[in-house]
Amino acid sequence: MATIRDVAKKANVSVATVSRVLNNKGYVSEEAQKNVMAAIESLSYTPNSVARTLYNKSSGMIGLVLPDITNPFFPELARAVEDVAHTYGYTVVLCNSDEEVAKEKKYFDALKQKYIDGIILTTSSLTSKDYDRLDLPMVALDRRIGDHIPTVVSENKQGACEATEHLLAKGCRYLAHLRGPEGVKTADERYKGFMEVVEQHGVEHVVLNAEFQIDKAEAVAQELFTTYPQVDGVFAGSDVTAAGVMKAAHTLNKRIPADIKLIGFDGIPLGKMLVPALSTVEQSIYKMGALSARLLIKQIEKQPMASMYYELPVKLIARETT
């Protein structure tokens, strides 16, 4: 395989000149650049990406840290991030943290060693100070970490209000909310929206934690329906949670929507495939991922950003479960 020295010799220039051409840094005469490019083509030279990374302290890679790749919400986000990153010449490194602090820290250490150019976070296991210590361009996606970190979220509270109002409009009189993990901003905002509506209308209600996990949601929903048989409407904190509720209802011979009306949150494709089809609050998942990638690349390339906070609208989709 040809080396950078072979290219320099054939082009009759110095190794430093070849390096400047490859990295697009520093002055190179037009003639020298033509000679270098001709030599590269003639020798079929491929630059050593490891050496270039060490030289530039830049890898052309961005990290995407997800909490749970098995949740269908996150692969759709990842697809959008990858599509935009590829357009701008960046490669995406996918990291699944499982919301484990030790695992997340291990990923960050590895990414820094590889001179990652920036990180998109959809987790918030660590503290704001921990993220600041990374000293890297960063975007918080579907999470809020701090005012100094660009953030892309949906109208979680507003969507929760609409979901709860929808259940009431369908005649429900005793509502349950299976919420996501406490301390996760998206879950907290959806809980606040639910509570605002039930308190405003004086509706009887109960709230249980299902952690955005289908198995946990199924177990919690079985407990809910057994302990509170009067519940006739459920607002699930995510579509995955709602799928767990549907499994529990089927096990206990409760009919949806005849006995229990159900609405989720996210708008993942799975909702349309369930039987009955799931009513949900739809997020602009692809737009969220695409926007976060553009914001990160702007930071990496030191371009100005119009805002540090983006809250995208949601849409209530009424299907067969309500």
Side-chain angles (χ1 to χ4, degrees):
M1 293 179 64
T3 67
I4 192 171
R5 296 183 184 279
D6 296 328
V7 173
K9 183 177 180 181
K10 188 169 184 65
N12 196 27
V13 297
S14 67
V15 170
T17 297
V18 177
S19 180
R20 284 196 290 271
V21 172
L22 291 173
N23 294 293
N24 197 27
K25 289 185 176 180
Y27 172 76
V28 178
S29 70
E30 187 175 343
E31 182 181 0
Q33 180 156 348
K34 285 181 179 179
N35 290 341
V36 169
M37 297 306 293
I40 288 172
E41 185 175 355
S42 173
L43 296 171
S44 299
Y45 171 69
T46 303
N48 187 320
S49 61
V50 174
R52 291 182 68 183
T53 295
L54 293 173
Y55 178 80
N56 295 317
K57 300 294 188 289
S58 172
S59 62
M61 296 189 295
I62 59 178
L64 174 60
V65 184
L66 304 176
D68 181 8
I69 194 63
T70 64
N71 185 328
F73 173 77
F74 293 106
E76 190 168 348
L77 279 183
R79 176 60 187 268
V81 170
E82 185 180 49
D83 286 350
V84 172
H86 179 74
T87 300
Y88 287 89
Y90 290 85
T91 301
V92 177
V93 179
L94 184 64
C95 306
N96 181 60
S97 73
D98 291 319
E99 296 279 18
E100 294 178 9
V101 171
K103 192 173 182 180
E104 195 168 318
K105 285 184 175 179
K106 189 173 181 180
Y107 272 131
F108 288 145
D109 289 342
L111 292 172
K112 287 213 72 171
Q113 289 175 22
K114 299 296 183 183
Y115 293 110
I116 204 81
D117 290 333
I119 295 175
I120 295 174
L121 283 169
T122 65
T123 65
S124 52
S125 302
L126 307 182
T127 67
S128 180
K129 289 184 178 179
D130 288 326
Y131 296 123
D132 290 342
R133 288 192 195 102
L134 293 172
D135 192 28
L136 285 169
M138 192 173 296
V139 171
L141 172 57
D142 194 45
R143 296 288 189 274
R144 189 165 187 178
I145 298 170
D147 293 338
H148 60 298
I149 296 176
T151 301
V152 179
V153 294
S154 288
E155 293 178 336
N156 288 288
K157 183 180 177 183
Q158 176 62 29
C161 288
E162 292 180 15
T164 310
E165 292 280 8
H166 180 65
L167 291 174
L168 295 178
K170 290 294 181 176
C172 299
R173 291 296 173 261
Y174 199 119
L175 300 185
H177 175 40
L178 268 60
R179 60 161 295 154
E182 293 184 33
V184 173
K185 192 71 173 177
T186 51
D188 292 344
E189 289 296 303
R190 294 170 196 177
Y191 165 75
K192 288 178 184 177
F194 172 81
M195 291 301 299
E196 182 176 296
V197 173
V198 293
E199 288 176 353
Q200 178 185 344
H201 290 277
V203 179
E204 291 188 276
H205 61 276
V206 59
V207 177
L208 297 173
N209 197 321
E211 299 289 336
F212 289 157
Q213 295 176 1
I214 189 168
D215 292 339
K216 177 73 179 291
E218 182 181 4
V220 169
Q222 286 199 31
E223 177 188 348
L224 169 71
F225 296 144
T226 302
T227 308
Y228 301 92
Q230 65 271 46
V231 165
D232 58 0
V234 177
F235 167 41
S238 73
D239 288 349
V240 168
T241 304
V245 174
M246 292 178 73
K247 289 182 69 178
H250 177 74
T251 300
L252 297 175
N253 294 316
K254 286 187 174 287
R255 299 167 299 162
I256 295 177
D259 300 325
I260 299 163
K261 291 177 172 52
L262 171 66
I263 187 167
F265 201 114
D266 282 337
I268 60 177
L270 171 69
K272 292 183 286 188
M273 303 175 195
L274 295 172
V275 180
L278 178 66
S279 295
T280 188
V281 176
E282 183 180 72
Q283 301 191 75
S284 300
I285 303 175
Y286 192 91
K287 287 183 180 178
M288 290 170 67
L291 176 57
S292 67
R294 292 189 186 98
L295 289 174
L296 184 66
I297 291 168
K298 279 189 174 184
Q299 285 186 79
I300 293 170
E301 299 181 354
K302 299 186 176 356
Q303 297 177 10
M305 289 184 292
S307 174
M308 294 288 283
Y309 185 74
Y310 295 84
E311 190 173 38
L312 302 188
V314 295
K315 180 181 180 182
L316 192 145
I317 307 293
R319 298 195 183 108
E320 297 168 353
T321 57
T322 55

